[in-house]
Amino acid sequence: MTLPTRYSALALLRHALRGHRQWSPAWRDAEPQPRYDVVIVGGGGHGLATAYYLAKNHGITRVAVLEKGWIGGGNTGRNTTVVRSNYFFPESAAFYDFSVRLYEGLARELNYNVMFSQRGMVTLAHSRHDEDVLRRSFNAMRLNGIDCEWLTPAQVVARMPLFNAGPGARFPLRAGVNQPRAGTARHDAVAWGYARGASQLGVDIVQNCEVTGFLREGGRVTGVATSRGEIRADRVCLSVAGHTSVLGALAGLKLPITSYALQAFVSEPVKPIFHTVVLSAATGVYLSQTDKGELVVGGGLDLYPSYAQRGNFHTVERTVAGLLEMFPAFSRLRLMRQWAGIVDVVRDSTPVMGPTPIDGLYLNAGWGTGGFKAIPAGGWTMAQTLATGKPHPLIAGFGLDRFESGALIDEAAGAGIAH
Ligand SMILES: Cc1cc2nc3c(=O)[nH]c(=O)nc-3n(C[C@H](O)[C@H](O)[C@H](O)COP(=O)(O)OP(=O)(O)OC[C@H]3O[C@@H](n4cnc5c(N)ncnc54)[C@H](O)[C@@H]3O)c2cc1C
């Protein structure tokens, strides 16, 4: 017998009395059915959240999420978990802040602890030029209604006493901007929580099912060919991150998306020494500490397009060099793991969401280095777009048509290494 799956302290106690042998699986591993209302390709956070909100907000439950590997095994399970909304343009700020707000209630919404920790995120300026850019983005954030605070060097050092702010520092400290509501969340838990919620509402989650082509009638996409047979659907949504241009090409779409490796690494665990997220564009490094004690370190993209999910050593070297300029004390730490994900980069660092020129085919892509924070809002707005056939107002500016009209939302300064 399996016991009900509502997680609570009482449930934990009841299961403990039975030796933890009766927990039911968090989600059903479904067999693919011949037909669905909506097929979502890609079981990362975006695909799973879209499926969850289709069922929850729109009552559309004949939905399948098709994942070629295991859910969360793509960038969703590989990122450095930073959640923030300190973007420059009003369209981005409104979208990403909606996402942060959804994160604030996500553990309760999903009955799953996503460990959202709003420990703040400090962006640093090390030169006069940096400071001008930071002041500009600080002003933009305030105009966009995103709460943030300007920090003097002394205030920055008070938050991170190991920072090398001495007179001989190669990157002198001029200022910082803190977004107090930013922070980190547990990436796997976000994928698993949405999977569990969607599965409970009737969504089929199909792992080990690779989409290899598209079924067409006239000009319209009417389903997908997969490694487990053909599946028909009224609407197909691609949420495949670094493989978007590969699948787009199979459908006959040439997309303005390039795939790069983005790396990160963690140190051995140490006692709590770092209580915020910090980012420095000049050194090309950002950093936080997990609840387990590991320092999580990330930097910029590898320099050329690739599908090799491991990355190159020179990027690790450059990132470590920047880290040690800021925090020389960390030179004593050993690195434990290094990895990479293949991210879907768009030149204006803004996602590509909504319908495509091919009837029945939708895109949720272009998240590049920063789509983890966007998972709740991406899922919410994409679900509404799929349910109604019209882009949700929050993503109206994120369509493919901007590459024809020229109405780009150039978030390069808000994105860059700032994932
Ligand atoms: C090292 C690193 C650090 C990052 N740090 C941050 C951060 O701190 N904050 C932040 O907001 N973002 C960060 N990101 C970006 C973020 O992880 C991604 O933008 C986000 O996870 C994208 O989610 P997704 O669901 O679109 O893609 P994914 O999680 O990659 O899911 C796509 C899925 O599609 C599947 N797939 C591909 N092809 C097929 C096919 N043919 N058939 C079936 N399935 C297929 C893949 O297996 C994969 O599971 C980081 C990324 C990396 C790599």
Side-chain angles (χ1 to χ4, degrees):
M1 191 191 79
T2 50
L3 293 178
T5 52
R6 172 110 203 129
Y7 296 155
S8 66
L10 196 61
L12 199 59
L13 192 65
R14 284 209 321 269
H15 279 280
L17 293 174
R18 291 167 173 83
H20 290 294
R21 281 188 294 273
Q22 292 168 5
W23 289 104
S24 51
W27 62 87
R28 277 177 311 112
D29 222 350
E31 283 301 311
Q33 301 301 306
R35 168 156 209 105
Y36 291 94
D37 292 339
V38 180
V39 157
I40 296 166
V41 188
H46 279 278
L48 294 164
T50 304
Y52 173 77
Y53 291 118
L54 270 170
K56 176 81 194 303
N57 294 356
H58 305 279
I60 300 175
T61 55
R62 288 211 321 158
V63 176
V65 178
L66 308 180
E67 166 54 51
K68 74 173 175 182
W70 63 96
I71 60 167
N75 295 336
T76 298
R78 293 167 185 271
N79 66 72
T80 44
T81 77
V82 178
V83 174
R84 62 186 177 88
S85 57
N86 47 2
Y87 280 74
F88 190 80
F89 288 98
E91 297 90 334
S92 322
F95 175 84
Y96 287 105
D97 210 50
F98 178 55
S99 213
V100 173
R101 297 289 180 198
L102 288 176
Y103 261 114
E104 285 169 349
L106 199 57
R108 217 169 307 117
E109 165 79 21
L110 298 177
N111 177 230
Y112 204 100
N113 187 2
V114 298
M115 298 169 73
F116 185 40
S117 158
Q118 291 177 290
R119 57 186 69 179
M121 171 174 171
V122 179
T123 309
L124 300 178
H126 303 282
S127 64
R128 168 77 203 280
H129 172 73
D130 271 5
E131 198 179 331
D132 284 351
V133 173
L134 195 63
R135 178 72 68 184
R136 190 163 167 253
S137 90
F138 172 71
N139 289 336
M141 281 162 70
R142 290 171 68 112
L143 286 170
N144 290 330
I146 310 294
D147 45 317
C148 54
E149 48 191 349
W150 187 263
L151 303 178
T152 62
Q155 288 170 318
V156 171
V157 173
R159 278 177 164 73
M160 47 192 99
L162 291 175
F163 190 90
N164 176 20
R170 184 160 169 217
F171 291 90
L173 189 56
R174 303 255 324 190
V177 166
N178 182 33
Q179 183 187 10
R181 282 185 299 116
T184 58
R186 170 80 200 271
H187 48 14
D188 300 318
V190 172
W192 297 336
Y194 274 119
R196 174 170 170 265
S199 178
Q200 282 175 352
L201 293 169
V203 168
D204 279 356
I205 293 168
V206 188
Q207 302 183 91
N208 297 313
C209 181
E210 179 168 4
V211 169
T212 52
F214 294 89
L215 309 181
R216 305 286 283 260
E217 270 166 37
R220 192 181 166 81
V221 163
T222 55
V224 287
T226 80
S227 53
R228 293 171 70 175
E230 293 190 347
I231 302 174
R232 308 219 156 250
D234 296 338
R235 278 146 289 171
V236 173
C237 177
L238 299 184
S239 296
V240 292
H243 289 81
T244 307
S245 39
V246 175
L247 281 166
L250 289 177
L253 277 181
K254 191 162 188 289
L255 296 168
I257 296 177
T258 313
S259 297
Y260 293 92
L262 178 65
Q263 305 190 51
F265 39 88
V266 292
S267 73
E268 61 189 320
V270 287
K271 288 188 176 168
I273 44 166
F274 202 76
H275 308 293
T276 185
V277 180
V278 72
L279 175 127
S280 155
T283 60
V285 179
Y286 67 100
L287 170 76
S288 66
Q289 188 174 19
T290 67
D291 295 333
K292 272 194 292 184
E294 302 155 342
L295 291 175
V296 183
V297 184
L301 291 166
D302 276 23
L303 293 176
Y304 51 85
S306 171
Y307 289 96
Q309 215 167 228
R310 54 181 180 273
N312 292 297
F313 188 69
H314 60 78
T315 304
V316 180
E317 192 180 19
R318 194 178 57 223
T319 309
V320 171
L323 174 72
L324 298 186
E325 291 292 351
M326 292 199 290
F327 301 100
F330 294 161
S331 66
R332 309 289 295 276
L333 286 176
R334 279 167 297 195
L335 290 184
M336 277 211 312
R337 295 189 304 280
Q338 167 273 352
W339 65 91
I342 301 303
V343 295
D344 38 341
V345 175
V346 180
R347 287 326 315 167
D348 66 352
S349 303
T350 289
V352 179
M353 297 177 79
T356 68
I358 301 177
D359 255 7
L361 185 65
Y362 292 73
L363 276 183
N364 177 358
W367 292 108
T369 61
F372 175 67
K373 69 178 79 65
I375 286 172
W380 182 291
T381 53
M382 207 55 220
Q384 180 167 324
T385 305
L386 285 160
T388 61
K390 277 197 267 127
H392 184 288
L394 276 176
I395 60 166
F398 297 175
L400 261 182
D401 52 356
R402 72 177 188 272
F403 296 95
E404 264 177 49
S405 66
L408 304 179
I409 304 169
D410 191 350
E411 279 292 353
I417 68 148
H419 310 316

